[in-house]
Each structure stands twice: as structure tokens, then as C-alpha cells.
Amino acid sequence: MKMRRGSLVQAVAVLLFVVFPINAQEVPTPQEVDQENGLVRLFMDCQGGGCWDSDFFRTEIQFVNWVRDRRDADLHLLITSQPTGAGGRSYDLFFIGQERFDSMSDTLAYISGYDATSDEVRNGLAGIIKIGLMRFVGLTSVAKDISIGIRERGPEPTEGRAGGGPAAMATAEDDPWNFWVFTPSLRFNGNGESTRKSLGIGGSFSARRVTEEWRVSLGLRTSYDQLNFESGE
């Protein structure tokens, strides 16, 4: 009787296993899900001011899967920045493909004005990031759901910020420098002691011209440093 009861329990267990298979090991990983639906796994590394608010970009750009570890990404976005001679900031955006995008890369740039607010910088960077992502998103199944267009510009005022609208674009006739911005700088430092003397001289000169058609930036820098010291002997 005991053998029959045990056999019956085993038979029911086998039947339940066949009817309701255990599929815990079949749950797809986030990487497998991303590859199925085409989402680009993006890791952003910002090494400059202006892109510190990662939550803003995650909310603004929702057609990618943001990851917090570079090793989990198939696209690495590196952003660096430096000040410009005109008082703004120049951003370089490096799109570095990994895994399925291996051997693919791209570089874009964004330049903020000297009077740009933090919100304007964030929105400007977000727009450039979206443009750079299109090359990679275009190779996925998500591409069919992407719509690309161009904003229509309304009539611009002819003088300043009339009526609170956007400032009118200056013309070459309005600017005696023809949109050129020149920035010279000079450095001098020296130090003298009984056994040690130092001298440093440097200078730089930059010229920048930004219009709707061209962006030109030229620069020259030179420096001379000298250190003299006497040993105890």
C-alpha cells in the first residue's frame, strides 16, 4: 500500500511538471530584451559642466535604455567641454560603439553662448545627443517608430527683443568686426629666493567667428618657463 501511494505521488509530480513546466531559467535578461525590441543601451560619461543633470536627459530621451555601467552598454557617450574665447563653452560628444555597434563611432560638437542659461545648455545638449543617436537607432527595430522633422521659425523682430520675442540675427553690416571675436591673454610670473629663482612668461591669442553658415576657431599659444636653483654645495 505504501509503495502504491508513493508511486501515485511521483506520477502526479511528473504530470504537473509536464503540464506546468518550470521556466525560471527562461526569464530573459535586460540585454536580451533590448536586443529583441531594438533599444540602444546607452551609457553617458559627462566630464564637463552642463550635463550634470542625468535625470533630465533620461526624461528627455526615452527611446534608449539608459544603463549605469559602461560594461552593460552597446553605446558609450563621452562628453567633454572647455571654455571658449567668447565666454561660452564648447562641448565635444564622442559616440563610441560597443558589442553590436563595435567599430562604429561618431563625434559631434555643441557650443553654448556666453549668456546661455543652464536650461538652455541642457536642451541644446539634449538636441545634439538625439541627432548623434540616430545613426545607431536607425539600425534597430525602433527606427520605424522615430519621426524626424524640422521646426518652423516664426517671423523674427527687427530690433532687439521686441515684444519679448527672440533677438534678431545680427548681420555683417551691424557688426564692424564681421562676427569675429578676438581674445588675447598674457601671463607673467616670477619668484626669487637666495637659492632658487623662477620665471614664467606666456601668452595666447584666439580668433573665433560663428555664423549660420560657418564656425571658425583659431588659436595660438606660447610659453617660456625657466627655473634656476643652487645646491647646498
Side-chain angles (χ1 to χ4, degrees):
M1 186 66 178
K2 292 183 179 180
M3 293 296 295
R4 292 180 179 177
R5 182 177 299 175
S7 300
L8 179 61
V9 172
Q10 292 179 359
V12 173
V14 172
L15 181 61
L16 290 175
F17 181 80
V18 174
V19 177
F20 304 102
I22 298 176
N23 58 0
Q25 301 297 326
E26 299 179 1
V27 176
T29 64
Q31 290 79 7
E32 292 173 343
V33 173
D34 293 340
Q35 291 180 0
E36 290 178 1
N37 61 24
L39 287 178
V40 174
R41 304 193 306 275
L42 177 65
F43 173 77
M44 186 175 74
D45 180 11
C46 176
Q47 300 183 2
C51 52
W52 59 87
D53 190 356
S54 60
D55 291 337
F56 169 81
F57 295 99
R58 291 173 182 270
T59 304
E60 185 70 17
I61 305 175
Q62 299 184 357
F63 53 86
V64 299
N65 182 12
W66 293 85
V67 298
R68 300 185 181 277
D69 192 332
R70 182 177 60 85
R71 293 170 295 184
D72 296 333
D74 49 27
L75 181 60
H76 179 193
L77 172 57
L78 174 63
I79 303 178
T80 62
S81 70
Q82 59 182 353
T84 63
R89 291 195 73 86
S90 174
Y91 296 85
D92 292 317
L93 293 80
F94 303 94
F95 296 83
I96 307 168
Q98 301 179 165
E99 296 186 6
R100 55 174 168 168
F101 299 130
D102 191 23
S103 76
M104 291 179 59
S105 62
D106 203 354
T107 304
L108 296 177
Y110 169 71
I111 300 177
S112 65
Y114 73 94
D115 58 348
T117 64
S118 59
D119 189 60
E120 290 173 339
V121 173
R122 292 189 312 177
N123 282 285
L125 279 173
I128 297 298
I129 293 175
K130 291 178 182 179
I131 294 175
L133 288 173
M134 288 303 101
R135 179 185 180 190
F136 302 89
V137 175
L139 299 176
T140 69
S141 59
V142 181
K144 65 181 183 298
D145 300 320
I146 299 295
S147 176
I148 301 176
I150 183 170
R151 270 198 312 252
E152 294 185 3
R153 295 185 178 181
E156 297 182 353
T158 57
E159 296 182 3
R161 296 182 179 269
M169 177 62 68
T171 63
E173 291 77 9
D174 300 329
D175 189 350
W177 295 93
N178 195 22
F179 297 108
W180 283 99
V181 177
F182 302 98
T183 307
S185 67
L186 182 64
R187 173 181 65 87
F188 175 82
N189 61 281
N191 187 21
E193 300 178 4
S194 59
T195 59
R196 176 184 172 148
K197 296 179 181 179
S198 64
L199 174 66
I201 302 175
S204 65
F205 180 82
S206 65
R208 182 168 172 266
R209 186 174 188 266
V210 178
T211 65
E212 289 186 340
E213 293 81 14
W214 293 94
R215 288 184 178 180
V216 181
S217 180
L218 305 172
L220 177 65
R221 178 176 297 177
T222 182
S223 63
Y224 172 82
D225 295 277
Q226 177 178 321
L227 174 63
N228 297 330
F229 63 92
E230 298 179 5
S231 65
E233 301 178 356

